[in-house]
Amino acid sequence: MSLLTDRMINAPADTAGHRADLFRASVAGDRERLEKLLEQPGLTVFDRVRAQLWDLVKTRHPARRLDEAEHQALVERLLARRPEVEYGVWAYYPWSNRLVHLLDEAEFVELRTNRNCYKISPDERDRLARKRIGIVGLSVGQSVALVLALERSFAQLRVADFDTLDLSNLNRLRAGVHNLGVPKVLVTAREIAEIDPFLDVVCFPEGITSENMEAFLCDGGPLDLLIEECDSIDLKIELRYAARRHRIPVLMDTSDRGLLDIERFDLEADRPIFHGAVGDLDPSRLRGLTTEEKVPYVLKIIGADTMSTRLRASLLEVQQSISTWPQLASSVAMGGAVTADVARRMLLGQQTASGRFFIDVEEIVPNAGEAPPAGRAGTSAPAIDLRGIADRLAPVASGRDLTPAQVQRLVTAATLAPSGGNSQPWRWLWRERRLCVFLDASRSRSLLDFRSLAAVAAVGAASENLVIAAHAEGLGVRLKALPLGDESELLATFEFIEQGGPGDEPSTADALVDWIPARVTNRRNASGEPLPTEAYAALDGSIAPWPEARLRWLRSRPDLTEAGEVLGAADRLLFLDGRLHAEMMSEVRFDATGSNGRGIPVETLELSPSDRAGLEVSRSGPALALVKEWGGGANLEKMSRKAVAAASAVGMLTMGKGGRPGYFRGGRAFERLWLTAAQAGLALQPMTALAYLFARLHEGGGEGLDPDITAKLRALWLRWSALFKVDAREAEVLVFRLSAAAPPSARAPRCSPTDILDIS
Ligand SMILES: Cc1cc2nc3c(=O)[nH]c(=O)nc-3n(C[C@H](O)[C@H](O)[C@H](O)COP(=O)(O)O)c2cc1C
């Protein structure tokens, strides 16, 4: 075996500990051991004690410039005729086989902390020299430990981490490559011993466990401060409860935007942990959760709303293009400095407030002007002159007058209809025995709704409800769609006559009246089991009154998988386009304030806690712009894939011809279909964004879309048209998934009738 191979295979295990052995050559036993040590092969000896004495003398005479002879004499006085070798202490570092001659503790401390004065006064230094600090987690923790040691802010430091040093740690941990594989506690403690062999560092190389937590916090006297920098959420919580019990304050730096949390459990015994962000979360409950289920808590702790754009964007790439969240040396170094600064002031009683603080360098020293985030597309539409338009209609020849209460009841039933983004893009006018419904394009104008056709379909659905509700009140209804032509905002008029009289709408759907309030968008996931064939027969039958309507179904698993993939790819396009993303996000109501009964409450999205957290993270336009720049975003494809995988079928309702008449009739047809599904106890969720983008592509030549999106849409169209066997000329009014899911946990609200109905 060659020497090279032999040395490599037989490299000894590192058992050299983390404390320096101290020898005083003037003490008999020490002197013998020191002499023995000097025979040790490979030992390197460093003796600069005279320079230290020289320096000590100089710092003791700050007011005077000593001349050489005077200086020399003062050094000799300190030596007091002892041989230099017997002065001070010899520190032997077994892990590096180095022997270093130093001043003894009192002089060493005096000289080493001399330049702290008076940022730290001698009295403060002495008070700090009685403090005990614990650090759990040694990434940011190592950086804190070193600054605390350099400043000499403790008497004893307890460090805990179960991990050994990996090469991938070396982007932020200050250590030499010869330390790879060495426990992080040893790396830290040895570095401290090399700076100051008199500091007491106690290592917990097994990390913190439920078993040793009490010992870590209390053995050898309770900690004066706990610095918590570990990755485990369970441990973070458990440590805080224990620290609160023992009234130990906690500090945490999160190395993103200089986030610093201070929890003064020493001063506030009942303070909720994490400033109340996680409630009174029981760690034993948390232990039972999967990593995915813990994500929302992690986001609460690091602050989903306040994290940096870069971190937010990176989180969207975790387990796709990167394995875990990023952490930079600049942040870790700064975290170490900031934490050590605050720790010192806490220990000296100068800092007393709990709270969350940001020391965000980018905010203080901003980048060159960045593009403002994409806003909501479109401009506000001019107000519609409802009466002016209605006055252009011929007077109602024979029609029943309704009471305002009756009109309101009918409009309320109508407006229980669905609309894209719950935009409720309608205005209603009761005037001279006629009810008019107008398109309120200001509610719908968006890239996701090509030429407001989805809004027209929603008005069609509302009209279908109105007819059914009127029949249930014993009224006949004469419905005229687009009575002033296709371009007019007036989409339909309703005159009320004898039931069954000439021009009354057919009563085929009257039995569905009870299902109008029950119909709902149900986004719950089910198991995707097949549905009985009668269910499909009933749904196919429901659209029979519209001969041009056609319902296609995808029911086989391979077809559903392909649909999920195409819809997922479309989601990625939508999220990564600034305008489309802004429009989508503006539809979701993350809290109820200011919604005026419109928009989609986030609860109705039925998201798992981690998907909800993902949505919160992906709300930020700038973060998604970064993801796009990096060519990422694969995680954005998962939700639709999962949704379709949990469905029994995907349906597509097309009308032979598009335009406003086609979409209005299509809306009536899908409302009939949806009410029938509700009657059968089936869950239905539209998934229409892609269908309406295709309409923009085919009918509008991709107007308003980024050329890159247009190209990607064309590629998706090939897969989509092959899957559904659909023609580009057909109007895809509704694409949806169908399943046997449990009832939804929340419903979208409606705005008040007074906001949308005029009775004159
Ligand atoms: C034309 C149209 C398109 C829709 N597109 C979607 C969609 O892509 N995704 C979705 O989850 N819901 C979609 N919806 C459902 C609406 O968000 C829903 O109807 C609205 O929030 C009101 O809730 P409700 O149906 O429970 O009354 C769509 C509804 C309509 C009428």
Side-chain angles (χ1 to χ4, degrees), residues 416-422 454 457-458 519-523 599-600 605 670 674 685-689 692 733-734 747-748 750:
L416 288 174
S419 56
N422 197 23
R519 183 217 57 82
V520 67
T521 300
N522 187 340
R523 301 182 181 90
I600 304 176
L605 299 181
F670 77 58
W674 206 329
Q685 180 200 349
M687 301 179 88
T688 60
Y692 282 81
V733 181
L734 199 75
R747 304 181 62 95
R750 291 297 184 270

Short mmCIF file of all heavy atoms in Angstrom, two decimals, residues 416-422 454 457-458 519-523 599-600 605 670 674 685-689 692 733-734 747-748 750, ligand 1:
data_model
loop_
_atom_site.label_atom_id
_atom_site.label_comp_id
_atom_site.label_asym_id
_atom_site.label_seq_id
_atom_site.Cartn_x
_atom_site.Cartn_y
_atom_site.Cartn_z
N LEU A 416 -77.62 34.77 -7.37
CA LEU A 416 -76.94 33.64 -6.73
C LEU A 416 -76.15 32.85 -7.77
O LEU A 416 -75.45 31.89 -7.44
CB LEU A 416 -77.96 32.73 -6.03
CG LEU A 416 -78.58 33.31 -4.76
CD1 LEU A 416 -79.69 32.39 -4.24
CD2 LEU A 416 -77.52 33.48 -3.68
N ALA A 417 -76.27 33.25 -9.02
CA ALA A 417 -75.54 32.58 -10.11
C ALA A 417 -74.05 32.81 -9.94
O ALA A 417 -73.62 33.78 -9.32
CB ALA A 417 -76.01 33.13 -11.46
N PRO A 418 -73.26 31.91 -10.53
CA PRO A 418 -71.80 32.07 -10.43
C PRO A 418 -71.29 33.13 -11.39
O PRO A 418 -71.96 33.45 -12.39
CB PRO A 418 -71.29 30.69 -10.87
CG PRO A 418 -72.33 30.21 -11.83
CD PRO A 418 -73.66 30.72 -11.30
N SER A 419 -70.14 33.66 -11.09
CA SER A 419 -69.47 34.56 -12.04
C SER A 419 -67.97 34.44 -11.83
O SER A 419 -67.52 34.19 -10.70
CB SER A 419 -69.92 36.01 -11.82
OG SER A 419 -69.69 36.40 -10.48
N GLY A 420 -67.20 34.59 -12.90
CA GLY A 420 -65.75 34.45 -12.81
C GLY A 420 -65.19 35.40 -11.76
O GLY A 420 -65.50 36.59 -11.78
N GLY A 421 -64.41 34.87 -10.83
CA GLY A 421 -63.82 35.71 -9.78
C GLY A 421 -64.87 36.30 -8.86
O GLY A 421 -64.58 37.23 -8.11
N ASN A 422 -66.08 35.76 -8.91
CA ASN A 422 -67.22 36.32 -8.14
C ASN A 422 -67.33 37.84 -8.36
O ASN A 422 -67.57 38.61 -7.44
CB ASN A 422 -67.08 36.00 -6.64
CG ASN A 422 -68.40 36.19 -5.90
OD1 ASN A 422 -69.49 36.13 -6.50
ND2 ASN A 422 -68.32 36.44 -4.60
N ALA A 454 -66.84 35.94 -20.53
CA ALA A 454 -67.16 35.17 -19.31
C ALA A 454 -68.21 35.93 -18.50
O ALA A 454 -69.09 35.32 -17.88
CB ALA A 454 -65.91 34.94 -18.49
N ALA A 457 -71.47 35.30 -20.03
CA ALA A 457 -71.95 33.97 -19.65
C ALA A 457 -72.53 34.00 -18.24
O ALA A 457 -73.55 33.36 -17.95
CB ALA A 457 -70.81 32.96 -19.75
N ALA A 458 -71.89 34.76 -17.34
CA ALA A 458 -72.39 34.85 -15.96
C ALA A 458 -73.78 35.49 -15.96
O ALA A 458 -74.69 35.05 -15.22
CB ALA A 458 -71.43 35.66 -15.11
N ARG A 519 -76.60 25.59 -5.06
CA ARG A 519 -75.49 25.49 -6.02
C ARG A 519 -74.28 26.30 -5.52
O ARG A 519 -74.46 27.40 -5.00
CB ARG A 519 -75.93 26.02 -7.39
CG ARG A 519 -74.88 25.89 -8.49
CD ARG A 519 -74.89 27.08 -9.42
NE ARG A 519 -74.70 28.32 -8.70
CZ ARG A 519 -73.50 28.78 -8.33
NH1 ARG A 519 -72.41 28.11 -8.62
NH2 ARG A 519 -73.40 29.91 -7.65
N VAL A 520 -73.12 25.75 -5.70
CA VAL A 520 -71.95 26.42 -5.16
C VAL A 520 -70.71 25.93 -5.93
O VAL A 520 -70.76 24.86 -6.53
CB VAL A 520 -71.83 26.11 -3.64
CG1 VAL A 520 -71.51 24.65 -3.41
CG2 VAL A 520 -70.81 26.99 -2.97
N THR A 521 -69.69 26.73 -5.94
CA THR A 521 -68.41 26.25 -6.48
C THR A 521 -67.74 25.44 -5.38
O THR A 521 -67.45 25.98 -4.31
CB THR A 521 -67.51 27.43 -6.88
OG1 THR A 521 -68.19 28.19 -7.87
CG2 THR A 521 -66.18 26.95 -7.42
N ASN A 522 -67.56 24.17 -5.66
CA ASN A 522 -66.99 23.30 -4.63
C ASN A 522 -65.57 22.90 -5.03
O ASN A 522 -65.37 22.12 -5.96
CB ASN A 522 -67.89 22.07 -4.45
CG ASN A 522 -67.44 21.22 -3.28
OD1 ASN A 522 -66.29 21.33 -2.83
ND2 ASN A 522 -68.34 20.40 -2.78
N ARG A 523 -64.59 23.47 -4.35
CA ARG A 523 -63.19 23.22 -4.72
C ARG A 523 -62.53 22.19 -3.82
O ARG A 523 -61.31 22.08 -3.77
CB ARG A 523 -62.40 24.53 -4.66
CG ARG A 523 -62.97 25.60 -5.59
CD ARG A 523 -62.17 26.88 -5.59
NE ARG A 523 -62.73 27.89 -6.47
CZ ARG A 523 -63.64 28.81 -6.10
NH1 ARG A 523 -64.08 28.85 -4.87
NH2 ARG A 523 -64.07 29.70 -6.98
N GLY A 599 -65.51 39.08 -5.09
CA GLY A 599 -64.23 38.40 -4.95
C GLY A 599 -64.38 37.02 -4.31
O GLY A 599 -65.45 36.65 -3.83
N ILE A 600 -63.28 36.29 -4.35
CA ILE A 600 -63.30 34.90 -3.88
C ILE A 600 -62.63 34.82 -2.52
O ILE A 600 -61.41 35.02 -2.43
CB ILE A 600 -62.55 33.99 -4.89
CG1 ILE A 600 -63.17 34.13 -6.27
CG2 ILE A 600 -62.55 32.55 -4.42
CD1 ILE A 600 -62.45 33.35 -7.35
N LEU A 605 -61.25 28.38 -1.36
CA LEU A 605 -60.31 27.68 -2.22
C LEU A 605 -59.94 26.31 -1.66
O LEU A 605 -59.30 25.51 -2.33
CB LEU A 605 -59.04 28.52 -2.43
CG LEU A 605 -59.27 29.88 -3.12
CD1 LEU A 605 -57.95 30.61 -3.31
CD2 LEU A 605 -59.98 29.72 -4.45
N PHE A 670 -74.92 26.37 -18.81
CA PHE A 670 -74.09 25.82 -17.72
C PHE A 670 -74.75 25.99 -16.37
O PHE A 670 -74.53 25.19 -15.46
CB PHE A 670 -72.63 26.26 -17.78
CG PHE A 670 -72.25 27.65 -17.34
CD1 PHE A 670 -72.52 28.12 -16.06
CD2 PHE A 670 -71.53 28.47 -18.21
CE1 PHE A 670 -72.11 29.38 -15.66
CE2 PHE A 670 -71.12 29.73 -17.82
CZ PHE A 670 -71.42 30.19 -16.54
N TRP A 674 -75.19 23.01 -13.87
CA TRP A 674 -74.64 23.12 -12.51
C TRP A 674 -75.73 22.84 -11.47
O TRP A 674 -75.51 22.17 -10.47
CB TRP A 674 -74.06 24.55 -12.33
CG TRP A 674 -72.97 24.70 -11.32
CD1 TRP A 674 -72.79 23.98 -10.19
CD2 TRP A 674 -71.92 25.68 -11.37
NE1 TRP A 674 -71.68 24.45 -9.52
CE2 TRP A 674 -71.12 25.49 -10.22
CE3 TRP A 674 -71.57 26.70 -12.24
CZ2 TRP A 674 -70.00 26.29 -9.92
CZ3 TRP A 674 -70.47 27.49 -11.96
CH2 TRP A 674 -69.68 27.28 -10.81
N GLN A 685 -66.36 22.43 -10.03
CA GLN A 685 -65.50 23.62 -9.97
C GLN A 685 -65.05 23.99 -11.38
O GLN A 685 -64.40 23.21 -12.06
CB GLN A 685 -64.25 23.36 -9.13
CG GLN A 685 -63.37 24.62 -9.07
CD GLN A 685 -61.92 24.35 -8.68
OE1 GLN A 685 -61.57 23.25 -8.25
NE2 GLN A 685 -61.07 25.35 -8.84
N PRO A 686 -65.38 25.21 -11.83
CA PRO A 686 -64.87 25.64 -13.13
C PRO A 686 -63.35 25.78 -13.10
O PRO A 686 -62.79 26.13 -12.06
CB PRO A 686 -65.51 27.01 -13.35
CG PRO A 686 -66.64 27.08 -12.39
CD PRO A 686 -66.24 26.23 -11.24
N MET A 687 -62.71 25.48 -14.22
CA MET A 687 -61.26 25.73 -14.37
C MET A 687 -61.10 26.35 -15.75
O MET A 687 -60.77 25.67 -16.71
CB MET A 687 -60.49 24.41 -14.25
CG MET A 687 -60.73 23.73 -12.92
SD MET A 687 -59.87 22.15 -12.75
CE MET A 687 -58.30 22.67 -12.10
N THR A 688 -61.38 27.64 -15.82
CA THR A 688 -61.65 28.23 -17.12
C THR A 688 -60.54 29.12 -17.68
O THR A 688 -60.64 29.53 -18.84
CB THR A 688 -62.90 29.12 -17.04
OG1 THR A 688 -62.65 30.14 -16.08
CG2 THR A 688 -64.12 28.34 -16.68
N ALA A 689 -59.55 29.44 -16.89
CA ALA A 689 -58.60 30.46 -17.33
C ALA A 689 -58.02 30.13 -18.71
O ALA A 689 -57.96 30.99 -19.60
CB ALA A 689 -57.49 30.61 -16.30
N TYR A 692 -60.43 30.61 -21.69
CA TYR A 692 -60.66 32.01 -22.10
C TYR A 692 -59.39 32.62 -22.70
O TYR A 692 -59.47 33.51 -23.56
CB TYR A 692 -61.22 32.82 -20.93
CG TYR A 692 -62.71 32.54 -20.75
CD1 TYR A 692 -63.17 31.43 -20.07
CD2 TYR A 692 -63.66 33.37 -21.35
CE1 TYR A 692 -64.52 31.14 -19.95
CE2 TYR A 692 -65.02 33.11 -21.23
CZ TYR A 692 -65.45 31.98 -20.53
OH TYR A 692 -66.80 31.72 -20.42
N VAL A 733 -67.25 27.61 -23.32
CA VAL A 733 -67.89 28.47 -22.32
C VAL A 733 -67.52 28.06 -20.90
O VAL A 733 -67.29 28.90 -20.04
CB VAL A 733 -69.43 28.45 -22.51
CG1 VAL A 733 -70.10 29.36 -21.50
CG2 VAL A 733 -69.78 28.92 -23.92
N LEU A 734 -67.44 26.77 -20.66
CA LEU A 734 -67.08 26.33 -19.31
C LEU A 734 -66.28 25.03 -19.36
O LEU A 734 -66.69 24.06 -19.98
CB LEU A 734 -68.34 26.10 -18.46
CG LEU A 734 -68.08 26.09 -16.95
CD1 LEU A 734 -67.85 27.49 -16.42
CD2 LEU A 734 -69.25 25.45 -16.19
N ARG A 747 -68.70 29.62 1.52
CA ARG A 747 -69.35 30.10 0.28
C ARG A 747 -68.90 31.51 -0.01
O ARG A 747 -68.60 32.27 0.91
CB ARG A 747 -70.87 30.14 0.44
CG ARG A 747 -71.55 28.89 0.85
CD ARG A 747 -73.05 29.17 0.92
NE ARG A 747 -73.56 29.55 -0.39
CZ ARG A 747 -74.10 28.70 -1.25
NH1 ARG A 747 -74.24 27.43 -0.91
NH2 ARG A 747 -74.53 29.09 -2.42
N ALA A 748 -68.93 31.85 -1.29
CA ALA A 748 -68.60 33.24 -1.66
C ALA A 748 -69.81 34.12 -1.38
O ALA A 748 -70.95 33.70 -1.61
CB ALA A 748 -68.25 33.28 -3.14
N ARG A 750 -72.35 37.62 -1.74
CA ARG A 750 -72.87 38.43 -2.85
C ARG A 750 -72.97 39.87 -2.36
O ARG A 750 -73.15 40.10 -1.15
CB ARG A 750 -74.26 37.94 -3.28
CG ARG A 750 -74.26 36.58 -3.94
CD ARG A 750 -73.46 36.58 -5.26
NE ARG A 750 -73.54 35.30 -5.94
CZ ARG A 750 -72.69 34.28 -5.75
NH1 ARG A 750 -71.70 34.39 -4.88
NH2 ARG A 750 -72.84 33.16 -6.43
C1 LIG B 1 -67.40 31.91 -16.33
C2 LIG B 1 -66.89 31.46 -14.99
C3 LIG B 1 -65.57 31.10 -14.86
C4 LIG B 1 -65.08 30.65 -13.64
N1 LIG B 1 -63.78 30.25 -13.54
C5 LIG B 1 -63.34 29.71 -12.40
C6 LIG B 1 -62.03 29.17 -12.33
O1 LIG B 1 -61.27 29.17 -13.29
N2 LIG B 1 -61.64 28.62 -11.15
C7 LIG B 1 -62.45 28.57 -10.08
O2 LIG B 1 -62.04 28.05 -9.04
N3 LIG B 1 -63.69 29.08 -10.12
C8 LIG B 1 -64.15 29.64 -11.24
N4 LIG B 1 -65.43 30.10 -11.31
C9 LIG B 1 -66.29 30.07 -10.15
C10 LIG B 1 -66.43 31.42 -9.49
O3 LIG B 1 -65.27 31.81 -8.84
C11 LIG B 1 -67.61 31.36 -8.53
O4 LIG B 1 -68.74 31.16 -9.27
C12 LIG B 1 -67.78 32.61 -7.71
O5 LIG B 1 -66.70 32.76 -6.84
C13 LIG B 1 -69.07 32.59 -6.88
O6 LIG B 1 -69.10 31.46 -6.04
P1 LIG B 1 -70.24 30.37 -6.11
O7 LIG B 1 -70.20 29.75 -7.48
O8 LIG B 1 -69.92 29.41 -5.05
O9 LIG B 1 -71.53 31.07 -5.90
C14 LIG B 1 -65.95 30.57 -12.52
C15 LIG B 1 -67.27 30.93 -12.66
C16 LIG B 1 -67.75 31.37 -13.87
C17 LIG B 1 -69.18 31.74 -14.00
#
